[in-house]
Amino acid sequence: MAAKTPSLPLSRRAFLLSSLAGAALLGTAPGMVRAQDAKKLKVAGIYTVPVEQQWVSRIHIAAVAAQEAGGIEYTYSENTANADYPRVMREYAESGYDLIIGEVFGVEQEAREVAADYPEVAFLMGSSFKPEAGLANFATFDNYIQDASYLSGIIAGAMSKSGNIGMVGGFPIPEVNRLMHAFMAGAREVNPDITFQVAFIGSWFDPPKAKETAYAMIENGADLLYAERFGVSDAAKEKGILAIGNVIDTQADYPETVVASAIWHFEPTLGHAIAQVQAGAFSAEDYGTFSFMKEGGCSLAPFGTFEGKIPQEALDLVASRSDEIKAGSFAVEINDSEPKSS
């Protein structure tokens, strides 16, 4: 059973839990270790938000898929307050877990101190910082899905008629900034004169505030919105304009609104960690590249109800750029600086 730790979380992402990949249920998800290849590992997840939330849901889905495939035993604690996070890490480490995954953006130093006390346990944590050579059992990751964000920007640039796009984010931290910049670069490739309204709501989960911010952008001429936060697509739907999603695919909830979404796939990241632990080779590694498109870590969601409604020129550009990204002949710039309005 999963531990339920009540808290007032510093939310990072929000989403209705999407379905597990069918391939993962039938066998092994991309990058996952097969059960017969090695003993099952005990894996624990520690999350500051419910597992239904957007960013964390991608980690949880990958872990459940690995368990369904027979490679690991998985449990988790959700709604873990930052103040409680180190304690929960220690409890899992003391309980014999081989690999602990989670997100320590609000408790960076404390989490590393815990890891130092349990050198035999592997820790793979979402972080804005890099791993330390002197802390061999603490690896970091983040959702470097700039490739898919760039492609979604191409779609946005082609679909915006006013050439004015509104972008609503949570906080201007590296993982958000780089996705916004990539999106903007993709849109500019289609329309060099396109303009952007950029705002951050100062919260990871405040749909009403995100919605109000989006309303203001629409009033200021935006005819398409980049929905980094929940609430933005609701504003777009109510005002009859389009939106682009982030991390998850919400088109089923907004079939006439969300044109495209950049999707994060955590399976390659987790798969590599599992393999390294089983091989006795886990180290202070930066797992960021496992979110790249060429590693299978991100993709552009199916267009669904917008099939046949996107200009062919944009679709051709998306296809060619996708091939180039996967081949390594085209690299989307990683820009972690705070984006500004045009």
Side-chain angles (χ1 to χ4, degrees):
M1 291 292 292
K4 307 292 184 179
T5 306
S7 70
L8 179 62
L10 175 64
S11 300
R12 295 192 49 76
R13 299 284 190 265
F15 175 54
L16 299 174
L17 186 61
S18 56
S19 61
L20 294 171
L25 294 173
L26 294 174
T28 300
M32 291 300 177
V33 177
R34 295 182 186 277
Q36 61 266 35
D37 292 340
K39 74 176 184 69
K40 286 185 179 181
L41 297 181
K42 291 181 66 177
V43 178
I46 310 173
Y47 312 118
T48 62
V49 295
V51 292
E52 289 82 11
Q53 301 284 23
Q54 183 177 350
W55 193 84
V56 161
S57 76
R58 307 310 297 173
I59 303 172
H60 181 66
I61 285 170
V64 172
Q67 179 169 258
E68 292 286 346
I72 66 172
E73 295 177 7
Y74 169 63
T75 190
Y76 64 94
S77 294
E78 58 185 346
N79 291 327
T80 304
N82 284 326
D84 294 327
Y85 209 95
R87 173 184 59 79
V88 178
M89 288 176 66
R90 289 186 185 279
E91 290 175 354
Y92 278 126
E94 293 284 351
S95 298
Y97 281 83
D98 302 296
L99 172 64
I100 298 174
I101 58 177
E103 22 112 16
V104 297
F105 297 89
V107 288
E108 293 279 358
Q109 187 57 42
E110 297 92 333
R112 291 169 192 253
E113 290 172 0
V114 172
D117 291 339
Y118 300 93
E120 74 286 358
V121 179
F123 294 85
L124 175 63
M125 295 293 177
S127 170
S128 291
F129 298 93
K130 300 300 182 182
E132 306 168 36
L135 191 58
N137 64 324
F138 191 93
T140 62
F141 69 88
D142 206 342
N143 62 329
Y144 282 83
I145 62 170
Q146 66 281 343
D147 298 330
S149 295
Y150 169 83
L151 298 178
S152 72
I154 291 176
I155 300 299
M159 296 297 284
S160 173
K161 293 181 170 51
S162 69
N164 184 329
I165 293 178
M167 306 182 69
V168 181
F171 291 94
I173 65 171
E175 68 162 274
V176 175
N177 297 343
R178 74 175 67 106
L179 305 188
M180 284 188 164
H181 278 296
F183 173 87
M184 295 162 80
R188 288 192 180 109
E189 185 157 353
V190 175
N191 179 2
D193 298 321
I194 205 161
T195 60
F196 301 93
Q197 301 176 59
V198 180
F200 298 91
I201 63 172
S203 172
W204 290 124
F205 187 64
D206 191 342
K209 188 172 183 179
K211 191 174 182 180
E212 288 301 319
T213 303
Y215 280 150
M217 291 178 172
I218 296 170
E219 289 294 321
N220 200 35
D223 70 344
L224 187 144
L225 299 173
Y226 176 77
E228 200 273 327
R229 293 291 96 203
F230 260 19
V232 176
S233 293
D234 292 300
K237 179 180 178 180
E238 291 181 13
K239 296 296 184 179
I241 68 170
L242 302 177
I244 298 292
N246 179 59
V247 176
I248 54 174
D249 184 4
T250 57
Q251 196 189 70
D253 299 311
Y254 307 95
E256 303 304 320
T257 302
V258 175
V259 184
S261 298
I263 307 301
W264 183 29
H265 305 291
F266 192 69
E267 286 80 2
T269 302
L270 182 58
H272 181 69
I274 291 172
Q276 291 297 95
V277 173
Q278 289 184 325
F282 191 86
S283 63
E285 187 178 354
D286 180 359
Y287 278 60
T289 56
F290 289 98
S291 290
F292 286 19
M293 181 175 286
K294 64 182 179 180
E295 299 292 342
C298 66
S299 67
L300 199 59
F303 301 126
T305 56
F306 283 88
E307 288 285 357
K309 301 177 183 178
I310 301 169
Q312 188 60 46
E313 183 178 358
L315 296 176
D316 291 343
L317 181 56
V318 165
S320 63
R321 285 291 188 234
S322 295
D323 290 342
E324 292 166 358
I325 289 170
K326 292 174 183 177
S329 58
F330 181 85
V332 177
E333 180 185 8
I334 298 175
N335 184 348
D336 288 348
S337 64
E338 182 176 344
K340 304 293 184 181
S341 297
S342 302

